[in-house]
Structure formats: structure tokens, C-alpha cells
Amino acid sequence: MPETDTQPGPYTPTDRTVPTRSAQRASYDRALVHSILDESYVCHLGFVRDGAPVVLPTLYGRIGERLYVHGSTGSRPLRMAGRGETAPGLPVCLTVTHVDGLVLAKSAFHHSMNYRSVVVHGTAHPVTDPEELRTALDALVDHVVPGRSYDSRPGNAKELAATAVLRLDLDEVSAKVRTGGPNDDPEDAALPHWAGVVPVQRRYGTPVPAADLDPAIALPDYLAAL
Amino acid sequence: MPETDTQPGPYTPTDRTVPTRSAQRASYDRALVHSILDESYVCHLGFVRDGAPVVLPTLYGRIGERLYVHGSTGSRPLRMAGRGETAPGLPVCLTVTHVDGLVLAKSAFHHSMNYRSVVVHGTAHPVTDPEELRTALDALVDHVVPGRSYDSRPGNAKELAATAVLRLDLDEVSAKVRTGGPNDDPEDAALPHWAGVVPVQRRYGTPVPAADLDPAIALPDYLAAL
């Protein structure tokens, strides 16, 4: 396990990670944050360009207390983060959200969502060390499909040179979670509307082999298990 | 149909909506953009606070060429957007992403995702007209569950005063779509790794009635149809 995984205790709240609303839903629990991050592989990465916000969906992986965000060397956030060890880095906000349920209340006002989200504030830096880059790319692949990096051809020198990865430390981090049923007002209890929660789930369909795949290559166990 | 729905032709590309990478995946087609927006209800809203990016998951709805983003009057983006007709508004980037498939290639480098995303750049303004606010809130509820606004108690004056909605015009908009199988290099064709696409779908589970729901209230058809 990476050394950074051994850090104990919750993340320290900051002005940016204490929400102004529904503060009771906020959490700084390290295990909760990790579990929310590990259940997805697409984040929404925000950065500032010419003074205006930009939000792009991006693949990420986690190793201990570090996130790795994927990009090509030509992508805007990667170019903006610089390419050298001395680059100042790119201020980012990285957000991951799971929608777990539609919360239907008797009143329109109390309609809500059950969700789990993590918001990470920090400065992203390009990964320049070849060994860290290789490890990060494996983590990115394995974050999407655990075990896959062992069952694909590793990147060669040309591919590694064309791939850029940003590193973002988990330091200024918060989770936000809503669970449970609707919170209707007592005076609405007798209204004739259905109320409750519609669960929302992510589901994997039957894998579709590539058109030119040798039929002798069976579906690997780690995909069948999805 | 709202008058704004009748606008013809694609969105006009701008410097911000022409991607630096995978430009062939970009589209400005109005119907495609609408269909991607209408299939979800949670966006990631980016804005700039004290010079740094912030990205928050937020509910939204669409009426014609306008998006409405939900918030409470106490939330940061709503307060930052101001409350009066003369407020300058809040520069935002609103992004919606559907993950449609995991693309597994024989080489780690060509692993990818099938996805559809929309990125909207613009300035969000608070909705101050009571009639527009009411219409926008109905649209937000119906965006999540079509028909639901007719089967719940509408907001009263106190609730409307506690609810804030931001309006964002669809003007500087692009979609980005990847479909199909992996694009492996020909020299990797004989490698023994499985390659193909694992479809990813959103699924609704069996609705769970609220603990205090009168058992005589049946599940409405519009929920059974989900």
C-alpha cells in the first residue's frame, strides 16, 4: 500500500470545504471520501481560463492520498498546468458525484436527490517522473476495470510521451451525502400524492467484443464479474 | 412549446467551444445538445470564487433554449449571482456527462470511454420574476420525473421565497460524443487480450414508499414507467 494511505483521521475542514447549505450532510471522513472516489472513474474537473470557469469530464484514478487525472499533452488543462518540475501548477476543483435515488415528496419544495459527492480543491501538477507516470496510468486503467492493467499491452515510449497526467493531492477535501426518504411537512401528510424514493443504479450491460476480436479469446473473469 | 424552441440551425462555435483535442467528436447540433441535456438532471456547475474554480453537482431543467439551475437562496453561486434585475450575473460553465460504455483496447493507451457530454459557457442570472420562477421550478421537477409537477403540492409563497433559481441561456454550447469500439493499432491485433465495449446504463430500482405513506396510494403510472 502507498505510504500516504496510512494517514489517520479525517480531512481538516477549510473555509472552502464547509458548505453554506445542508452543512449536516458534509463529512471529512477519509474512508468515506475514498469509497466515493473509488466507486467512479469520471470526475468533473474545473479550472479557470481567461478568468472564466471551465468544467470538463475527465478520467481519474487514486493511489492513496493522490488523485491522477488523465489527459493528452495537447489538452487545455494539461498545457495550462505546465510541463516542468518548476511549473506553478493549475488550481482546480475536482468533483465526483453518485446519484443514488430520486426523492419524491408530497410537496414540490421537498423533492430532492439521494447522492454522494466529493469535492477536492487544490493545485494540479503534471506528472513528470517516468516511473510515477507509468504507475499513474496503471492506476487509471485499474480504477475503471480492476485488474485490467495486467491484461493489456503497457504503453511504449511514444505512447507515454503523448500521454499527460495531472497529480492532485487529497488535502482540502469534503464529502456530502444525502440518504433516506422525503422530509415532508407534517401538514402535507394527508395529501393524495405518492411519496418515496426511486433508487438509481449504475448497471453494466453484456460486453460487446471488438469486431476483429479472435473468438477464441474468452471474456475474462474480471469483466464477467462486473 | 416555448418560443425559443423554434430557433433553427446549430449553435455557433466559439473559441471556448472548439476543443483542442478530439475535435472530430465535437458537435453543435441543437437537437443532439437538447437530447443529451434532457436525459439527465444533475449537472456539474463551475464558477470562480476568490480566483479559484468551484464545481458543484446541481439539479437543472430545460425550457427551450434556457437552462434553469436549482439552489437555495443561501447557496454560494446563487448569492454570487446577485438578487436584483441589475445584477451582473455569474460567469459559469455547466457540464452534463453520460457515460455509455467502457472501451477496452488491447493496448493500455487506447483504452477509452464512450460518452456524451454537453458543455455550456455563459452568465447565469437569478430568476426574479415570480411567474418565471414558478415555471422554472415546475420544469426542474418535471425534468427529473416527467409529469411529477402535476402530482405534488406546488410551492407556497414562503417556499418560493426560500428557493432560488439561476437562468442560463443556451448560446455558447457544444456537445462531445464518442461511440464505437476500441481503436487498436494494427500491430496489436494478435495480442491475446480481450477487447471490446462494456455498456454502462442508468437503471431505476423498485420505488420505495415513504415510511408514512398511506398504503392506499398506489404507485403512479409515470413512476412505474421509469
Side-chain angles (χ1 to χ4, degrees):
Chain A
M1 289 293 258
E3 193 183 329
T4 51
D5 239 353
T6 60
Q7 290 191 21
Y11 296 104
T12 305
T14 70
D15 177 50
R16 296 199 286 196
T17 62
V18 175
T20 52
R21 46 185 297 246
S22 307
Q24 79 284 359
R25 292 181 189 161
S27 168
Y28 307 92
D29 183 80
R30 209 169 283 263
L32 175 66
V33 165
H34 291 180
S35 76
I36 293 171
L37 290 172
D38 291 353
E39 202 178 305
S40 189
Y41 27 74
V42 175
C43 65
H44 281 80
L45 183 74
F47 56 99
V48 179
R49 181 179 178 237
D50 297 334
V54 180
V55 179
L56 298 179
T58 314
L59 282 173
Y60 70 94
R62 181 178 74 87
I63 299 179
E65 296 295 334
R66 285 189 165 165
L67 296 184
Y68 291 99
V69 182
H70 184 262
S72 85
T73 50
S75 70
R76 281 187 178 126
L78 271 294
R79 284 186 299 163
M80 290 172 67
R83 294 285 294 163
E85 287 289 357
T86 57
L90 178 70
V92 298
C93 179
L94 183 155
T95 301
V96 172
T97 306
H98 304 284
V99 174
D100 294 324
L102 316 178
V103 181
L104 279 67
K106 288 173 181 286
S107 62
F109 183 74
H110 283 295
H111 277 62
S112 187
M113 307 288 284
N114 283 339
Y115 64 92
R116 290 163 295 145
S117 65
V118 163
V119 176
V120 183
H121 297 272
T123 302
H125 296 275
V127 174
T128 52
D129 177 72
E131 188 58 35
E132 186 180 10
L133 180 60
R134 206 173 269 280
T135 307
L137 288 171
D138 283 351
L140 276 158
V141 168
D142 286 332
H143 200 73
V144 179
V145 179
R148 180 66 184 177
S149 70
Y150 299 100
D151 189 22
S152 53
R153 177 178 64 69
N156 57 35
K158 187 182 159 196
E159 290 168 346
L160 287 177
T163 309
V165 171
L166 290 176
R167 180 184 61 228
L168 175 64
D169 287 342
L170 291 174
D171 180 29
E172 194 171 353
V173 185
S174 62
K176 210 167 170 186
V177 176
R178 190 207 187 277
T179 59
N183 297 319
D184 265 312
D185 299 327
E187 53 266 39
D188 289 332
L191 290 177
H193 312 301
W194 190 90
V197 175
V198 181
V200 180
Q201 296 147 0
R202 181 180 65 190
R203 182 180 170 277
Y204 291 106
T206 306
V208 180
D212 60 350
L213 185 72
D214 180 347
I217 300 179
L219 190 71
D221 288 343
Y222 58 80
L223 287 181
L226 288 180
Chain B
M1 288 295 255
E3 193 183 328
T4 49
D5 241 354
T6 60
Q7 291 192 20
Y11 297 103
T12 305
T14 71
D15 177 51
R16 294 200 287 197
T17 63
V18 175
T20 50
R21 47 187 295 248
S22 307
Q24 79 285 359
R25 293 181 189 160
S27 168
Y28 308 92
D29 182 80
R30 210 169 282 262
L32 176 66
V33 165
H34 290 180
S35 75
I36 292 171
L37 290 172
D38 291 354
E39 203 178 306
S40 189
Y41 28 73
V42 174
C43 64
H44 281 81
L45 183 74
F47 56 99
V48 179
R49 181 178 178 237
D50 298 335
V54 181
V55 178
L56 298 178
T58 314
L59 283 172
Y60 71 94
R62 180 178 74 87
I63 299 179
E65 295 296 334
R66 283 188 167 168
L67 295 183
Y68 290 100
V69 181
H70 185 263
S72 85
T73 50
S75 71
R76 281 188 180 125
L78 271 297
R79 283 186 299 164
M80 290 172 68
R83 293 284 294 160
E85 288 289 357
T86 57
L90 177 71
V92 296
C93 179
L94 184 155
T95 301
V96 172
T97 306
H98 304 284
V99 174
D100 294 325
L102 316 179
V103 181
L104 280 67
K106 287 174 183 286
S107 62
F109 183 74
H110 283 296
H111 277 63
S112 188
M113 307 286 287
N114 282 339
Y115 65 92
R116 290 163 295 145
S117 65
V118 163
V119 176
V120 184
H121 296 272
T123 302
H125 296 275
V127 174
T128 51
D129 176 72
E131 188 59 34
E132 186 181 8
L133 181 60
R134 208 174 270 279
T135 307
L137 288 171
D138 283 351
L140 275 158
V141 168
D142 287 332
H143 200 73
V144 180
V145 180
R148 180 65 185 179
S149 70
Y150 299 101
D151 190 23
S152 53
R153 176 178 64 69
N156 57 34
K158 186 182 160 198
E159 290 168 346
L160 287 178
T163 309
V165 171
L166 290 176
R167 181 184 61 227
L168 175 64
D169 288 342
L170 291 174
D171 181 29
E172 195 170 353
V173 185
S174 62
K176 210 167 173 187
V177 176
R178 190 207 188 277
T179 58
N183 298 319
D184 264 313
D185 298 328
E187 53 266 39
D188 288 332
L191 290 177
H193 312 301
W194 190 91
V197 175
V198 181
V200 181
Q201 296 147 0
R202 183 178 63 192
R203 182 180 170 277
Y204 291 107
T206 306
V208 180
D212 60 351
L213 185 72
D214 180 348
I217 300 178
L219 189 72
D221 288 344
Y222 59 79
L223 286 181
L226 286 181

